[in-house]
Amino acid sequence: MNIWIVDDEVNLANGLKRAFEKGGYSAKAVKTISELQQLLGVEIPSLIFLDQRLPDGNGIDILPAILKQYPRCKVILMTAFGDSRLVVRAIQEGAYNYLDKPFPLDAAKNMVERAIESIRFRNQAEFLLSEGPNRLLGSSNAMEKIRDNIMKIAQHQNITVLLRGESGTGKEVAARMIHHASGCKGDFVALNCSAIPESLLESELFGYNKGAYTGAETDKQGLIEIADKGTLFLDEIGDMPLSLQSKLFRFLDQRSFRPLGSTKEKNVSLNLICATCLDIEKQVGEEKFRKDLFFRISVIPITIPPLRQRDKDVLELASFYLAEFSKRLGKSATSFTEDVKDVFMTYWWPGNVRELRNLIERILILKDNSDNMVRLADLPAEMFEIQQQTIVGHTAGHLEGESLSHTMDRIEREMIVSALARCMGSRTQTAAELGISRFSLLRRMQRHGLE
């Protein structure tokens, strides 16, 4: 990781250089634009701290040239003049972020960490795109454990797995990952139990022989038979009618079945993966789901957590989908502003990973291709409305049993993030809305890890 500091204030530049070198980075300090241009001809920087006013020109003026030559480089503008118009211009020109002078060393270090994280997410996204689909993304402990369990499961045949989680968390992706990792010779066959009328579901699963009922003019293979030597994925298993649950239980117990209208048993060897977003224990208690079938399908239970509980997986997934849709749609967007990341990290994501994926696709379809940053203005207005409603409900629901200081810190952070979103990232407007000084806002943002 190469970090360059372009500033004619020697003490500041050398102080940052020493601090970054102590952190294990390679750092250089230069004083002028011409010196920077000479270096750009022979080296590739990862991150540049660029002062606005330099002896031979304005740092903002060289921004487009830097990013055109090295679009992956992150540039952080440093300014002592606090002019919001200059900051807006720098961001529009592609600056990653900015620092108001004087700034504490911790603020610079924190910004470096976030820039490196952004670079890591982008590189990871590009690697994963080259690796292909059928992969659960995210480096949180929960997702690491799920992937480990999947690799253990995939070593065995004729397994039965129950995938649980809210809608949009990636249950089918997990099912396909199990199938892919198992090396099955057969196909992956999926059926949504809630999407097929009850009268047709049995014939879809088990098939039928000619003459089994009116209109059955030829034999038809059921999905169970089609999935032989492969994987049968039954999505929304909780919606399966009771009349069919007993037949499914018998199949699971014997791995054999009879097509409708047939007297001959057929044997198959397959992995059965079921999925549900329902509280299936509640379904059992209300006698809407057979207890014996529940125990039979949950031999290996895996719960996929909602996106809001996966910490920075949100940013990893967002970077992956940004790379995917940029490539697919021919767009140039490469990263998100810090304000967008803050919104992503605090948003409730009721639709989980599916909602995030659809959001990124929508943003890129509508976005001007001349801008390589996803900004607050690119986010839909309804997203902020949902976020506001969630913050109010979430705050009210978590007061009990929480210390006063923790509650105050959490509410303050949520209020700042929400105000930043409403003010489209303007620190000046946000401070005015919150009734505090701009300096106070910046200090509070740094304390909450928002700067």
Side-chain angles (χ1 to χ4, degrees), residues 50 59 68 71 88 90 131-132 134 159 167 208 217 223 262 264 276 379 382 418 423 426 434:
L50 179 63
K68 183 178 181 180
V88 169
E131 287 288 288
N134 304 328
I159 56 172
S167 180
Y208 55 79
E217 298 178 353
L223 296 182
S262 174
K264 183 181 291 187
T276 183
L379 303 184
E382 60 266 25
S418 181
C423 297
S426 169
L434 294 173

Side-chain angles (χ1 to χ4, degrees), residues 4-131:
W4 296 356
I5 305 100
V6 186
D7 199 319
D8 59 332
E9 294 182 40
V10 177
N11 290 337
L12 172 63
N14 288 336
L16 288 175
K17 180 177 181 293
R18 285 192 297 269
F20 296 149
E21 286 174 340
K22 285 182 180 179
Y25 305 111
S26 172
K28 280 187 173 67
V30 299
K31 300 176 183 178
T32 64
I33 290 176
S34 59
E35 191 177 349
L36 170 64
Q37 290 173 325
Q38 290 176 5
L39 276 175
L40 287 171
V42 294
E43 292 187 55
I44 301 176
S46 301
L47 180 62
I48 298 176
F49 282 81
L50 179 63
D51 191 29
Q52 180 216 333
R53 291 195 178 180
L54 293 161
D56 54 348
N58 191 321
I60 298 178
D61 292 337
I62 197 176
L63 254 177
I66 294 173
L67 296 176
K68 183 178 181 180
Q69 187 174 359
Y70 299 114
R72 293 173 175 271
C73 179
K74 302 291 185 185
V75 179
I76 296 170
L77 181 74
M78 300 183 293
T79 177
F81 303 97
D83 188 336
S84 59
R85 291 171 300 177
L86 289 173
V87 171
V88 169
R89 181 188 164 198
I91 297 299
Q92 288 175 340
E93 294 285 3
Y96 173 73
N97 213 323
Y98 73 95
L99 283 168
D100 278 324
K101 291 181 176 180
F103 52 83
L105 181 59
D106 285 344
K109 288 180 177 179
N110 185 42
M111 205 164 281
V112 167
E113 289 175 2
R114 299 186 75 164
I116 291 170
E117 180 181 72
S118 178
I119 293 169
R120 179 173 64 83
F121 287 162
R122 182 191 62 211
N123 293 341
Q124 182 185 63
E126 292 175 351
F127 170 75
L128 291 172
L129 278 174
S130 68
E131 287 288 288

Side-chain angles (χ1 to χ4, degrees), residues 146-160:
I146 288 172
R147 283 194 294 268
D148 287 344
N149 287 337
I150 283 176
M151 298 312 294
K152 292 175 183 176
I153 290 167
Q155 299 174 26
H156 304 278
Q157 301 297 317
N158 284 318
I159 56 172
T160 305

